Amino acid sequence: MTIYQPLIELIQARIEQNDKSPLYVKISESVKTATELKILKGGDFIPTEREFSELLGVSRITIRKALDVLDKDSVIVRSRGLGTMISDTVEYSGQAAAGFSQQVVLKGKKPDTLWIKKDTVPCSADIAATLNLKEGETVFLLKRVRYIDEQAVSIEESYVPSDLIHDPDKIQLSLYDYFRSQNITPSKTKSRVSAKMPTEESLEKLNIDSHTPVLLIEQTAFDHSGRPIEYSINHCRGDLYVFTSE
């Protein structure tokens, strides 16, 4: 039995399922499932093309197509001379209005939140302009540390018009889930990304050193009518966090 036996058995069981999915899709789906089941974790190596081909009895062309899908979906990282491993970075899309927690779950990982503040504050001129409010108008400030698989990855500050939140205590893991419970549907987002040196707060709460880069992601979310419903400022670990916008 090889170290890859649990993965190979999972793939073989998927291949044996009688559906019309192409073979390379079944293989790529199985690797994703293996990450969700914790059979594979970030940093784990997977078989080479040749090893996969021999263990599964399929062509290397099929294996290559499956790996291309996994590479495109940021499930794996290919390194010349080292091999192919499961990615331990988190890819977060600024295009989708799904919210952090939902996107993390879809990657087969566990999101969590440590709340720092849920309070109302008068908004500054910049925030007022972003949210189409008057300067000094009351907004909710929601500040928290975001975790993925029990590792702190970002510090997030969200500013939300006060009339959109009736009971902040009902906001648990996901602000977007709360929005949907109030029949507010996030529809699109607009993002701005820049690189920053870590602040003292980032060093402490993200458990990083002064040389670890931080991504500063400013994002505005809109509902179907085009009304801005959230403006967020996120300080994200640059070594664990990949931001995409397509």
Side-chain angles (χ1 to χ4, degrees), residues 225-243:
S225 71
R227 178 189 178 183
I229 58 176
E230 179 205 17
Y231 169 63
S232 63
I233 304 171
N234 306 276
H235 294 80
C236 308
R237 285 187 59 158
D239 59 334
L240 296 177
Y241 209 98
V242 177
F243 180 87

Side-chain angles (χ1 to χ4, degrees), residues 208-219:
I208 57 177
D209 60 42
S210 59
H211 301 293
T212 301
V214 170
L215 290 179
L216 179 65
I217 302 175
E218 300 170 77
Q219 184 165 279

Side-chain angles (χ1 to χ4, degrees), residues 108-151:
K109 299 178 182 291
K110 179 186 175 183
D112 206 350
T113 291
L114 174 64
W115 285 101
I116 298 174
K117 180 179 292 187
K118 293 180 184 179
D119 206 354
T120 54
V121 297
C123 63
S124 66
D126 289 343
I127 293 173
T130 301
L131 295 176
N132 288 343
L133 300 173
K134 296 179 181 179
E135 183 178 354
E137 193 168 339
T138 298
V139 294
F140 269 98
L141 167 58
L142 309 173
K143 185 172 182 178
R144 53 190 160 172
V145 181
R146 295 283 206 171
Y147 290 80
I148 297 177
D149 290 343
E150 300 183 352
Q151 185 168 30

Side-chain angles (χ1 to χ4, degrees), residues 1 24 32-33 49 59 64 74 126 135 141-142 144 160 165 189 193-194 209 216 218 232-234 237:
M1 179 179 292
Y24 78 91
K32 292 178 183 178
T33 300
E49 283 185 15
S59 72
R64 189 171 300 124
S74 300
D126 289 343
E135 183 178 354
L141 167 58
L142 309 173
R144 53 190 160 172
V160 180
I165 297 178
T189 60
V193 184
S194 57
D209 60 42
L216 179 65
E218 300 170 77
S232 63
I233 304 171
N234 306 276
R237 285 187 59 158

